[in-house]
Amino acid sequence: MRSLIICIGNPMRSDDGLGFRVWEELRARGVHAILSGPDLPPQITDFDRVILIDAIDFKAEPGSVFEGRIEDLDVLEARSSTHALSPLSFLKIIKEVTGRPEEAILIGVQPKSLEEGEGLSEEVEGAVSEVIDRVMRLIGLEDEA
C-alpha cells in the first residue's frame, strides 16, 4: 500500500508546530513525509493511504493523541482544525468524489497553546514519540525505528 504522510502546521504558532516537529523526526529516520499548510497537495489521490498529522482540538488533555479514519470523524471535525480551510474536510471531499485515497487516517494531538511563538509545549513535545510510533506502525516500519 502506497502511503503519503502529510505533516500540517505552523512552527511559529506554538503547538501548531507539531506537524513540523514530526516531519523533522520522520526525515531523520529516513521516512518520506511532506510538510503542508492548510491546502493539501493535489497528489493525494495518487496514493492508497494518506496519513495526516496535525494539532487538533478535540477537548482532551494537552498532549493527548488521537488516531482515527476520516470517515469516523464527524464529531471531531466540527471542532477540529486551527486552519481557515480544514485539511480534513478537503480530504473527505476528495475521497468522496474520487474514491481516493482508499484509506485516510488522522493522527492528532491536543494542543496546549496555539499562540504565536516557537516551540512546542512540554505536553505536546512529549506526544511526538507516540505519534512517530503510530506512523511507523501504520507504514509497517515499527521494527526499524
Side-chain angles (χ1 to χ4, degrees):
M1 179 175 270
R2 289 187 60 214
S3 297
L4 175 64
I5 303 164
I6 304 173
C7 302
I8 300 170
N10 180 347
M12 303 302 290
R13 291 194 53 212
S14 307
D15 290 337
D16 196 38
L18 169 77
F20 185 80
R21 175 72 179 82
V22 169
W23 173 78
E24 288 179 318
E25 184 67 29
L26 290 172
R27 195 170 144 199
R29 294 176 184 219
V31 176
H32 178 72
I34 63 172
L35 277 173
S36 181
D39 299 326
L40 296 179
Q43 71 263 35
I44 59 174
T45 57
D46 296 341
F47 289 83
D48 304 310
R49 176 194 296 143
V50 170
I51 303 169
L52 292 178
I53 299 164
D54 198 3
I56 301 287
D57 183 5
F58 55 100
K59 309 299 183 203
E61 291 295 316
S64 299
V65 178
F66 173 86
E67 177 181 332
R69 297 176 189 272
I70 63 164
E71 54 268 20
D72 300 331
L73 301 178
D74 290 342
V75 174
L76 182 65
E77 172 62 0
R79 51 184 150 134
S80 63
S81 180
T82 62
H83 311 289
L85 173 64
S86 166
L88 192 54
S89 294
F90 179 74
L91 185 55
K92 280 182 173 181
I93 292 167
I94 293 296
K95 185 175 181 196
E96 206 169 289
V97 171
T98 69
R100 305 273 304 163
E102 294 173 24
E103 185 176 47
I105 297 170
L106 168 70
I107 301 176
V109 175
Q110 176 69 46
K112 180 177 183 179
S113 172
L114 297 173
E115 300 296 320
E116 288 185 23
E118 293 184 47
L120 303 177
S121 66
E122 185 176 320
E123 293 87 345
V124 172
E125 181 63 40
V128 169
S129 63
E130 183 177 341
V131 172
I132 298 296
D133 289 347
R134 288 177 184 238
V135 170
M136 300 302 268
R137 177 184 42 82
L138 286 168
I139 63 174
L141 295 176
E142 58 196 329
D143 295 330
E144 298 176 28

